[in-house]
Amino acid sequence: MAEFLIKNGFVIDPTQKINGDIADIAIKDDKIVEKAGPGAKIIDAKGKVVMAGGVDVHAHVAGPKVNIGRTMRPEDKLFKSPHAQENYRMEMGFSIPSTFKTGYDYARMGYAFVMEAAMPPLHSPHVHEEIHDTPIIDEGALPVFANNWFVMEYLKNGEIENSAAYCAWLLSATKGYGIKLVNPGGTAAWAWGLNCLTIHDPVPYYDITPAEIITGLIKTNEYLGLPHSVHIHQNSLGVPGNYAVTLESLKLAEGVKARNKFNRDQVMHSTHIQFHSYGGDSWGNFESKAKDVMDYVNSHKNITVDLGCVTLDETTTMTADGPFEHHLNHLNHLKWANTDVELETAAGVVPYVYDKDIKVCGIQWAIGLELALYAKDPSRTFITTDHPNAGPFTRYPRVIKWLMSKNAREETLNTFKHCSKVVDATDIQSIDSEMSLYNIAEMTRSGPAKALGLSHMYGGLGSGLDANVAVFDLNINDMPDDPQKIEDAFLRASWFIKSGQIVVKDGEITNHGNKRTVWVNAKVKENPQVTRDIHDKFLKNYTVGIDNYSVRDYLAPNPYVINVDVEA
Amino acid sequence: MATIKLKPYKTPELYLEGFNISPDVFVGKSPSEIASLEGREGKTRIELGDFFEVSGTTGATASDTNILIDGDCSRVKYIGNKMTDGSITVNGNADMYVGGWMKGGSIHVKGDVDSFCGIAMEGGDIQIDGNAQNYVGCAYRGDWRGMRGGTIHINGNAGNDIGTFMLGGTIIIEKNAFIHVSTHAEGGTVIIKGDVQGRVGGQMVKGDIYVFGNIQYMLPGFKEIGMIEHEIVGEKAMFKHFIGDLGERHPKSKGKEIFGNLYLRAS
Ligand SMILES: [Zn+2]
């Protein structure tokens, strides 16, 4: 390890309310420190922007559904897989990149931490093997809980303590990070070919509603005091008129206070909110309800959201929302993979082309950007593309360009075949505001780190934080007239130091870093009933034995464990 | 039209990926510049000059440029990759991917070609004097967007998977074909002058297939609806008209369902 001094850059760090002041950032070993010693290596950042390493709150980057996407879409690699370069491994694919390309591309964009957004518990060993195979970036993974037989049984009976003991056991068995909900109840209903399109549709055979599952898991999460809140993919994703369901679901968090020791304020993170902000009642009268949704989010401080911006690319959709993928396959008639994960969840994968000349795709693009532009508090609104569902993560710099430049938005809008129809169905043309670099740092660094309960490690440049520092070739006092230069700068960092090592220089990978797997070990007191229930289900229902279920330590060889002592 | 000549003088030990052999790439370059263009032999970067002697001149534009490969290219892939104009003549055989992703211009191979000839082609002409292996005018693996336009003419036999996911254009096989013709097609025309073993039009949505010889095993998803006289590639004949694949979804036009057409010459 070494010492670095990143000199004379324009520092942007919302955690310390620093907005472009010229300052030096010192690094010793793997931490940011107040002062560097005389032997520190100097990195000249003059005329450039210096930010903390990026934090991605939600992306699908590892595990069985990502791999099914890779397997069923060899065409995703065609002409997008350059021959191997010196010093680093071959990179393959676009929307479902190989593990190496995933790590490299995030590093090139200056990202330090990425949350795999949906881990099927039964397949968690595979998720961890892929995480281990992804270089440089630190990662965690959120196991899915909202269609799990144990959880639905406990919550039906109002047994929060048992639900909490089970969730704590599953987090440790899967080396998971927090509680993810995907289409609560709807994915369980899919096992019978059904769905739950409102939060009051009862889950077949379970006598519980999505609303009860959501409320119960919020209580469970705060009972445990986990670093992250519940992280929810709401019911009725992608359906015209679904904003009403979204608002109703968000209201379930009303009055609930965060209870944790990790500086987290929200009790619900509502993910890829773009897919949940739709008006109209058909694709014919489909329109944006971004304003209605953000008005609610703006006035409720215990909620965070991420965008799920549509980037107008050919991509691969993949989700534990099995019924949604079936629905999508009937819209586009392309390839469809579907799977059931016993007792726990399901998943589907379908390729999708967001064509700028299709009216609905144009409106979806506008909604994603409107949500950000309507946000009163960017530090509760995070940039994502629900990678790869609405577009690949390598388009974050393009989303940043659109958010920072009205001209860039106009330029894209004017290429649409149905430009005027998109304008009619959205507010995108009338919104003049442009976000600042400070806002971007809130949406990609300080905000998501705090929401994940990781603000003691990531998201800022204060001393004591992990030494993750990105330098971008942008001059805050003389921003380029051509907005494309903003995208180019964020796509390839001038420098990226991850955990105290230079991993990127001039946009090229220089080092494979020392990635870590971050997981949460919540320690609850002995719960004999839950222990017996787990034992029984593995005897009666699972096709695997309990001894073969958990993620062995060798599969996550670089762990960073966050211990939570639960005081009941 | 100016001609630039590539004379093979060395056979690659592995297969040579000649993705730069195209009038679009060659145009405006001198023989020595062309000789230093990149290729791959396995994972090793090579230069075209390591295997070909280059002479002659290129035209002012791709359309004025003819590439003459005077010798055998049995171990050279990707000849005419993505070309948009001009012409290529091969005095011998060629390996896989001749005219892949081609948009215009013409390619003439005087010998045989291996598989994937005209894969995902959008326009232009390919003439093969000998036989073709499998996947003539097919889609890339996994892709649902196959050949969209242009013509592929195989003077001999072809193997399996002809016109998979075809959307437009014409494929003519003068002799026999093996199995899988126009699988998943949503347009285009495949004409087979000889016999086909079977699996003709499986999961076909739209498009036309003409078979002048026999189909040994007919797919059950096709239904005979009558006899019709057609003139096709200069030959007038009576055909049995089948529609299908009845097991596949079919779009409607003016209230009528559109099917794939299979015309089998009445003997
Ligand atoms: Zn997602």
Side-chain angles (χ1 to χ4, degrees):
Chain A
M1 291 280 168
E3 284 188 83
F4 293 100
L5 189 63
I6 300 152
K7 271 185 88 89
N8 293 324
F10 300 110
V11 173
I12 299 178
D13 179 12
T15 67
Q16 301 180 86
K17 306 235 168 352
I18 300 173
N19 184 14
D21 300 355
I22 293 175
D24 300 342
I25 303 293
I27 288 170
K28 185 170 192 303
D29 298 335
D30 56 355
K31 294 278 186 248
I32 293 170
V33 293
E34 289 292 344
K35 265 197 167 58
K41 179 183 160 60
I42 307 286
I43 289 177
D44 180 13
K46 189 162 185 261
K48 295 184 171 145
V49 156
V50 178
M51 290 188 186
V55 176
D56 192 345
V57 77
H58 186 113
H60 302 272
V61 285
K65 68 188 177 319
V66 181
N67 226 25
I68 284 171
R70 293 185 187 115
T71 309
M72 76 190 253
R73 294 209 61 203
E75 75 279 11
D76 188 67
K77 297 182 176 70
L78 179 66
F79 303 128
K80 288 166 188 151
S81 307
H83 290 281
Q85 311 280 315
E86 237 177 288
N87 301 327
Y88 50 100
R89 296 271 292 264
M90 189 165 171
E91 301 174 70
M92 289 179 287
F94 174 67
S95 67
I96 31 199
S98 58
T99 52
F100 279 86
K101 185 168 172 58
T102 301
Y104 294 157
D105 278 346
Y106 267 114
R108 289 183 180 112
M109 299 182 342
Y111 270 71
F113 180 88
V114 178
M115 183 63 80
E116 159 53 47
M119 170 159 70
L122 182 66
H123 301 304
S124 50
H126 178 172
V127 175
H128 282 282
E129 285 186 295
E130 275 198 36
I131 285 177
H132 174 48
D133 209 38
T134 306
I136 306 176
I137 53 173
D138 294 344
E139 290 175 281
L142 298 172
V144 293
F145 284 93
N147 296 282
N148 177 299
W149 293 10
F150 293 88
V151 169
M152 289 192 291
E153 280 171 13
Y154 293 136
L155 295 182
K156 179 169 69 183
N157 300 326
E159 297 166 5
I160 299 300
E161 210 176 312
N162 290 342
S163 167
Y166 171 74
C167 290
W169 174 78
L170 197 78
L171 284 177
S172 107
T174 62
K175 302 196 194 297
Y177 189 83
I179 296 181
K180 174 74 186 294
L181 293 72
V182 177
N183 187 2
T187 297
W190 179 234
W192 285 274
L194 304 169
N195 197 354
C196 296
L197 285 170
T198 81
I199 59 170
H200 307 297
D201 293 2
V203 184
Y205 304 96
Y206 270 93
D207 194 23
I208 189 169
T209 63
E212 290 164 336
I213 296 171
I214 298 168
T215 308
L217 282 173
I218 293 175
K219 285 183 183 157
T220 301
N221 197 92
E222 300 313 314
Y223 175 97
L224 290 169
L226 299 177
H228 191 29
S229 64
V230 295
H231 186 122
I232 178 167
H233 154 147
Q234 311 280 11
N235 298 74
S236 204
L237 174 143
V239 179
N242 64 6
Y243 84 106
V245 175
T246 306
L247 289 174
E248 220 183 337
S249 311
L250 293 175
K251 283 191 179 124
L252 297 173
E254 265 175 28
V256 186
K257 278 209 170 58
R259 181 182 161 279
N260 67 95
K261 292 175 176 163
F262 298 91
N263 189 31
R264 157 177 66 85
D265 294 333
Q266 92 281 7
V267 296
M268 181 192 278
H269 176 76
S270 191
T271 188
H272 40 69
I273 195 92
Q274 177 275 130
F275 284 125
H276 306 271
S277 301
Y278 296 168
D281 56 21
S282 72
W283 296 116
N285 62 12
F286 179 63
E287 61 175 350
S288 170
K289 287 288 178 187
K291 179 136 199 332
D292 300 65
V293 171
M294 281 318 283
D295 280 350
Y296 185 86
V297 172
N298 283 336
S299 58
H300 292 82
K301 289 202 179 341
N302 64 350
I303 293 171
T304 56
V305 298
D306 68 82
L307 299 172
C309 283
V310 165
T311 61
L312 305 170
D313 286 293
E314 177 181 323
T315 190
T316 312
T317 68
M318 52 184 61
T319 170
D321 193 339
F324 172 74
E325 292 290 2
H326 178 251
H327 166 75
L328 199 60
N329 176 249
H330 278 242
L331 289 176
N332 77 358
H333 306 297
L334 299 182
K335 297 175 272 191
W336 172 48
N338 177 62
T339 190
D340 175 62
V341 181
E342 57 194 44
L343 287 78
E344 296 175 347
T345 182
V349 183
V350 171
Y352 203 80
V353 182
Y354 291 96
D355 182 341
K356 70 177 178 57
D357 292 330
I358 291 173
K359 185 190 77 167
V360 168
C361 301
I363 296 170
Q364 290 176 306
W365 168 81
I367 293 172
L369 302 177
E370 283 177 0
L371 289 157
L373 296 165
Y374 279 134
K376 288 242 164 63
D377 184 0
S379 63
R380 289 194 288 119
T381 309
F382 315 135
I383 290 177
T384 66
T385 57
D386 189 19
H387 165 85
N389 284 297
F393 68 82
T394 42
R395 294 298 192 215
Y396 293 172
R398 187 164 295 176
V399 172
I400 291 171
K401 172 183 78 172
W402 283 321
L403 294 178
M404 290 187 71
S405 166
K406 162 112 176 158
N407 281 345
R409 297 197 290 272
E410 287 284 311
E411 201 181 305
T412 300
L413 187 60
N414 288 333
T415 65
F416 293 179
K417 188 169 164 194
H418 301 291
C419 174
S420 63
K421 286 183 183 160
V422 172
V423 168
D424 289 348
T426 68
D427 299 342
I428 192 72
Q429 200 169 47
S430 63
I431 303 177
D432 293 327
S433 58
E434 297 183 330
M435 302 191 94
S436 64
L437 286 169
Y438 190 85
N439 295 150
I440 299 303
E442 288 174 295
M443 299 172 88
T444 57
R445 275 126 175 113
S446 58
K450 183 174 162 74
L452 289 169
L454 290 172
S455 57
H456 59 295
M457 296 166 70
Y458 305 95
L461 295 168
S463 73
L465 294 190
D466 286 12
N468 303 318
V469 186
V471 180
F472 299 107
D473 190 8
L474 287 170
N475 184 329
I476 193 170
N477 297 325
D478 185 18
M479 288 293 280
D481 293 330
D482 178 5
Q484 184 54 37
K485 293 202 169 129
I486 300 175
E487 178 178 348
D488 296 346
F490 278 110
L491 203 53
R492 293 165 71 83
S494 301
W495 296 90
F496 182 42
I497 296 177
K498 160 74 187 25
S499 304
Q501 289 185 349
I502 297 173
V503 292
V504 172
K505 183 173 181 252
D506 298 326
E508 296 296 340
I509 302 298
T510 58
N511 187 308
H512 277 85
N514 45 11
K515 77 115 32 29
R516 292 176 298 183
T517 304
V518 184
W519 65 276
V520 172
N521 190 13
K523 293 172 196 150
V524 295
K525 68 171 194 287
E526 275 283 309
N527 185 321
Q529 187 195 328
V530 170
T531 306
R532 195 175 59 240
D533 289 347
I534 292 170
H535 186 75
D536 280 0
K537 280 246 188 332
F538 273 95
L539 280 178
K540 286 183 192 154
N541 301 106
Y542 272 105
T543 58
V544 297
I546 192 165
D547 293 338
N548 295 326
Y549 184 81
S550 298
V551 176
R552 308 286 170 88
D553 287 343
Y554 78 91
L555 292 176
N558 308 298
Y560 183 93
V561 185
I562 297 177
N563 289 304
V564 180
D565 287 308
V566 179
E567 307 146 9
Chain B
M1 178 172 277
T3 297
I4 184 104
K5 193 163 117 180
L6 301 188
K7 177 92 190 157
Y9 68 84
K10 187 172 140 195
T11 306
E13 189 183 350
L14 301 173
Y15 286 83
L16 178 64
E17 295 182 24
F19 43 79
N20 274 327
I21 303 176
S22 150
D24 299 81
V25 181
F26 281 14
V27 67
K29 290 190 172 68
S30 68
S32 67
E33 286 171 323
I34 290 168
S36 63
L37 284 170
E38 182 184 349
R40 292 270 162 175
E41 189 186 6
K43 66 172 191 171
T44 311
R45 187 187 186 283
I46 56 95
E47 293 181 354
L48 292 182
D50 298 341
F51 297 90
F52 299 100
E53 225 172 72
V54 187
S55 61
T57 53
T58 60
T61 62
S63 75
D64 294 332
T65 301
N66 175 42
I67 301 172
L68 172 66
I69 309 183
D70 194 14
D72 184 69
C73 286
S74 293
R75 297 175 86 83
V76 183
K77 296 180 199 291
Y78 296 104
I79 293 171
N81 188 47
K82 297 182 184 175
M83 73 185 265
T84 67
D85 215 335
S87 62
I88 300 177
T89 307
V90 182
N91 284 338
N93 302 329
D95 192 49
M96 293 183 183
Y97 297 100
V98 168
W101 299 275
M102 178 176 179
K103 292 191 168 70
S106 62
I107 298 177
H108 182 188
V109 178
K110 295 191 174 169
D112 299 336
V113 291
D114 207 297
S115 297
F116 302 105
C117 172
I119 180 174
M121 178 177 180
E122 293 180 31
D125 287 292
I126 298 176
Q127 165 74 38
I128 310 296
D129 291 351
N131 301 318
Q133 288 292 321
N134 309 317
Y135 300 102
V136 172
C138 68
Y140 184 71
R141 291 258 193 246
D143 209 322
W144 57 92
R145 293 152 296 198
M147 179 173 173
R148 290 164 197 266
T151 304
I152 305 173
H153 192 168
I154 310 288
N155 225 18
N157 299 309
N160 49 257
D161 295 273
I162 297 159
T164 307
F165 282 105
M166 193 171 184
L167 297 166
T170 306
I171 299 173
I172 304 160
I173 314 288
E174 289 291 341
K175 292 185 181 161
N176 304 324
F178 179 37
I179 51 168
H180 288 299
V181 179
S182 296
T183 309
H184 284 288
E186 290 206 49
T189 305
V190 176
I191 300 155
I192 295 167
K193 303 294 273 299
D195 301 334
V196 193
Q197 195 187 83
R199 301 181 218 178
V200 178
Q203 293 190 271
M204 186 179 189
V205 178
K206 279 200 298 189
D208 298 315
I209 304 170
Y210 291 85
V211 178
F212 282 72
N214 294 318
I215 297 178
Q216 196 180 347
Y217 304 108
M218 193 72 181
L219 279 178
F222 278 77
K223 181 171 89 174
E224 190 176 345
I225 58 164
M227 298 283 285
I228 192 164
E229 192 180 47
H230 268 207
E231 190 180 325
I232 189 88
V233 286
E235 248 185 275
K236 196 180 255 185
M238 286 299 290
F239 292 92
K240 291 182 192 169
H241 182 191
F242 295 82
I243 56 167
D245 180 335
L246 300 178
E248 186 55 65
R249 89 197 143 82
H250 291 280
K252 278 193 174 145
S253 167
K254 295 175 187 135
K256 253 190 89 183
E257 233 176 332
I258 308 289
F259 293 95
N261 298 301
L262 167 56
Y263 302 101
L264 181 61
R265 189 162 76 168
S267 46

